[in-house]
Amino acid sequence: MAATEAGEVIEGCRLPVLRRNQDNEDEWPLAEILSVKDISGKKLFYVHYIDFNKRLDEWVTHDRLDLKKIQFPKKEAKTPTKNGLSGSRPSSPEREVKRKVDIVSTVSLVPASLDTAQASVFPQNGSARRPLAVAAAQPGRKRKSSCLGTDEDSQDSSDGIPSAPRMTGSLVSDRSHDDIITRMKNIECIELGRHRLKPWYFSPYPQELTALPVLYLCEFCLKYVKSLKCLQRHLTKCNLRHPPGNEIYRKGTISFFEIDGRKNKTYSQNLCLLAKCFLDHKTLYYDTDPFLFYVMTEYDSKGFHIVGYFSKEKESTEDYNVACILTLPPYQRRGYGKLLIEFSYELSKVEGKTGTPEKPLSDLGLLSYRSYWSQTILEILMSLKSENGERPQITINEISEITSVKKEDVISTLQYLNLINYYKGQYILTLSEDIVEGHERAMLKRILRIDSKCMHFTPKDWSKRGKW
């Protein structure tokens, strides 16, 4: 390749770029040049590493490019649009699962088809470590794949099958992802209280603020300003020490506030702008009226500091109990994500509904929900006890009613855990010793839990409140 000058590197071309991996070793992954800019005579190149997480995209200098292996874009090549994806909207089973299932100990059996009939589990060597629950999916009905996704851009279904983008709700098909501008991180750094956050993705803050080295946010009202001096001036006037809205939960230092997207529009919009820095798929910024926002905070002597949040539609025809969900980076991997998810289901319990998050979830959201569903369902199954010498019985419907987890999520979780097997002409679910021991270890680490006695929440019937 004759390319030797930086001037020949154009937008759309691909070439290896030098970066440091997690082991602090040099590597040369293939990257696409998304943008080129000149600052004081020095060229910078915004690169997207192919098949790497988008949050690793960055501006690099000329010396990190391998110009000997440059691949120029072909004029006729076009990026497939998202409308090209096949698939259908996830659907719920139309008929309820009513067959009862026997509960006993574990046994190693041959995996069978995922179209399951009534299930039973038989004891191994006639002894049971503890009563272990099983449940069956609907016999003779082929289940459509249900797409998962929340905290941050995966469109994987619970079965690993991609599903088409949603056409309604807060996560409508996002055509803006075809725009080069929205593929590039535009905020260098955000100061929020005592934390400095490095955004992962594009967020539509005013363009005049994107050139600043640091964007300053009031951690209580989330107002954004251009300098520390402006923030200090704002703090002398800002009376908030917690999110606006009603505090509906408090236990220890953890509180949840319910914010109406119509009554507190400015706060809700600012929250969405902040969240977009860490949620690649999020498309809702300004039309916050149809949504409620549940902000989790941690209290100290200075006030209630935002940890994370989730939003939900006031009215959802598809039983979505979460639209977007995020734990801010300083609080991730500390159990707060599962606490947010658990709280969303506690709200559904009070409302007397089963719920499910909008799909697709983000990569971290997908992991969080799968983990939460697994722990919640196993907790139910392992707590069942036999009565009058009979094996305990439970159905998927009953698991769904107890946990408020929608039936298709219960079924997909059982499939994901590989609990469904076939034995002597019938479908059964088994809990192996590894599953049991792994669950017990996970629950020992899960210290943060929602205490339903600390909730002060009365659901509203939004269908009778006009346009909210």
Side-chain angles (χ1 to χ4, degrees):
M1 183 62 65
T4 56
E5 300 295 330
E8 296 184 43
V9 180
I10 61 174
E11 294 176 3
C13 70
R14 297 185 175 193
L15 73 173
V17 176
L18 176 64
R19 70 179 297 274
R20 286 287 178 94
N21 61 23
Q22 292 179 336
D23 299 323
N24 206 30
E25 299 172 341
D26 289 348
E27 59 182 4
W28 292 84
L30 185 67
E32 178 185 356
I33 304 295
L34 298 186
S35 183
V36 182
K37 68 180 180 181
D38 193 312
I39 299 181
S40 302
K42 184 178 181 180
K43 284 203 172 184
L44 295 176
F45 307 87
Y46 193 89
V47 298
H48 165 62
Y49 297 104
I50 310 299
D51 296 328
F52 277 64
N53 196 306
K54 185 177 172 183
R55 69 186 63 153
L56 298 176
D57 295 358
E58 60 181 333
W59 288 100
V60 302
T61 51
H62 170 247
D63 59 320
R64 290 175 59 183
L65 308 179
D66 185 352
L67 300 176
K68 295 178 181 179
K69 298 181 180 179
I70 192 169
Q71 304 170 15
F72 288 99
K74 297 178 181 179
K75 291 184 179 180
E76 67 273 15
K78 293 183 179 180
T79 304
T81 63
K82 290 193 175 183
N83 288 340
L85 288 175
S86 62
S88 59
R89 176 178 296 197
S91 65
S92 306
E94 293 174 2
R95 301 190 303 273
E96 293 188 347
V97 181
K98 296 182 178 179
R99 293 182 180 270
K100 294 287 182 178
V101 185
D102 291 338
I103 313 302
V104 289
S105 183
T106 64
V107 59
S108 299
L109 300 173
V110 180
S113 166
L114 295 183
D115 296 327
T116 57
Q118 181 172 354
S120 301
V121 181
F122 296 92
Q124 190 173 27
N125 298 327
S127 63
R129 170 175 174 171
R130 66 173 68 194
L132 299 180
V134 296
Q138 186 169 340
R141 177 175 176 82
K142 205 160 190 175
R143 189 177 57 84
K144 293 184 180 179
S145 62
S146 59
C147 193
L148 300 180
T150 120
D151 230 352
E152 289 81 352
D153 45 355
S154 168
Q155 289 193 9
D156 291 345
S157 74
S158 59
D159 307 309
I161 304 171
S163 181
R166 293 191 64 227
M167 302 307 294
T168 60
S170 66
L171 300 182
V172 294
S173 179
D174 187 8
R175 305 301 293 272
S176 67
H177 276 211
D178 296 330
D179 184 352
I180 288 294
I181 297 298
T182 62
R183 292 178 64 189
M184 298 166 50
K185 283 177 273 195
N186 59 333
I187 304 294
E188 183 67 26
C189 180
I190 289 176
E191 184 169 304
L192 180 70
R194 61 180 179 273
H195 300 293
R196 283 209 166 183
L197 314 178
K198 195 169 181 63
W200 297 346
Y201 306 112
F202 170 89
S203 183
Y205 280 103
Q207 188 171 357
E208 62 270 19
L209 302 179
T210 60
L212 300 172
V214 180
L215 181 62
Y216 295 87
L217 267 62
C218 171
E219 64 173 325
F220 299 114
C221 73
L222 303 184
K223 177 182 174 66
Y224 49 87
V225 294
K226 62 182 181 180
S227 69
L228 180 58
K229 186 175 182 180
C230 290
L231 177 63
Q232 291 169 341
R233 187 184 307 122
H234 165 78
L235 292 176
T236 62
K237 305 172 186 176
C238 183
N239 297 320
L240 279 182
R241 288 298 174 264
H242 58 75
N246 300 319
E247 185 180 14
I248 61 173
Y249 178 91
R250 182 187 294 191
K251 184 174 183 181
T253 60
I254 300 296
S255 290
F256 278 84
F257 291 83
E258 182 184 58
I259 292 103
D260 187 322
R262 182 184 66 85
K263 293 181 179 178
N264 297 284
K265 190 185 294 286
T266 300
Y267 179 90
S268 300
Q269 291 174 348
N270 287 341
L271 177 60
C272 289
L273 288 172
L274 172 62
K276 180 61 189 72
C277 291
F278 307 100
L279 297 173
D280 187 29
H281 67 280
K282 184 175 175 63
T283 60
L284 167 70
Y285 313 124
Y286 302 113
D287 183 20
T288 61
D289 287 22
F291 290 86
L292 296 168
F293 297 84
Y294 294 90
V295 177
M296 179 168 65
T297 64
E298 198 170 50
Y299 175 77
D300 66 16
S301 59
K302 295 183 179 179
F304 294 78
H305 308 278
I306 181 171
V307 170
Y309 89 104
F310 65 89
S311 60
K312 63 183 289 188
E313 293 175 285
K314 293 173 180 175
E315 288 187 280
S316 173
T317 58
E318 302 187 35
D319 297 328
Y320 292 125
N321 65 354
V322 165
C324 291
I325 183 169
L326 171 70
T327 306
L328 289 173
Y331 298 96
Q332 290 177 3
R333 305 184 66 84
R334 291 167 56 183
Y336 291 112
K338 278 200 184 69
L339 201 66
L340 282 165
I341 295 172
E342 185 177 3
F343 191 78
S344 72
Y345 282 107
E346 287 297 328
L347 294 180
S348 294
K349 289 177 184 179
V350 177
E351 293 169 342
K353 301 176 181 178
T354 59
T356 188
E358 286 191 23
K359 320 303 192 299
L361 288 168
S362 65
D363 48 1
L364 296 183
L366 174 58
L367 293 173
S368 297
Y369 266 93
R370 276 184 174 167
S371 177
Y372 173 81
W373 287 331
S374 298
Q375 291 181 8
T376 301
I377 292 169
L378 288 172
E379 199 170 27
I380 295 295
L381 300 184
M382 293 170 61
S383 68
L384 293 174
K385 298 178 181 179
S386 59
E387 295 180 3
N388 302 322
E390 297 290 327
R391 295 168 182 160
Q393 297 180 331
I394 195 169
T395 65
I396 286 176
N397 278 345
E398 289 168 342
I399 296 173
S400 180
E401 289 170 4
I402 293 169
T403 62
S404 280
V405 176
K406 208 165 185 182
K407 283 179 289 186
E408 59 258 41
D409 294 332
V410 174
I411 295 170
S412 69
T413 301
L414 293 171
Q415 294 168 350
Y416 173 73
L417 293 172
N418 199 26
L419 300 184
I420 300 176
N421 294 279
Y422 189 74
Y423 182 71
K424 290 186 178 181
Q426 64 179 337
Y427 293 92
I428 67 174
L429 301 179
T430 66
L431 294 180
S432 68
E433 291 297 314
D434 288 343
I435 289 283
V436 172
E437 292 172 1
H439 172 71
E440 290 174 343
R441 287 195 301 269
M443 296 309 291
L444 286 174
K445 296 178 182 177
R446 191 171 160 189
I447 300 172
L448 294 174
R449 298 298 299 269
I450 294 297
D451 184 348
S452 59
K453 296 190 295 292
C454 297
M455 292 186 65
H456 306 282
F457 171 70
T458 303
K460 301 179 179 68
D461 185 356
W462 294 99
S463 64
K464 298 179 180 179
R465 301 175 71 90
K467 293 188 176 182
W468 309 295

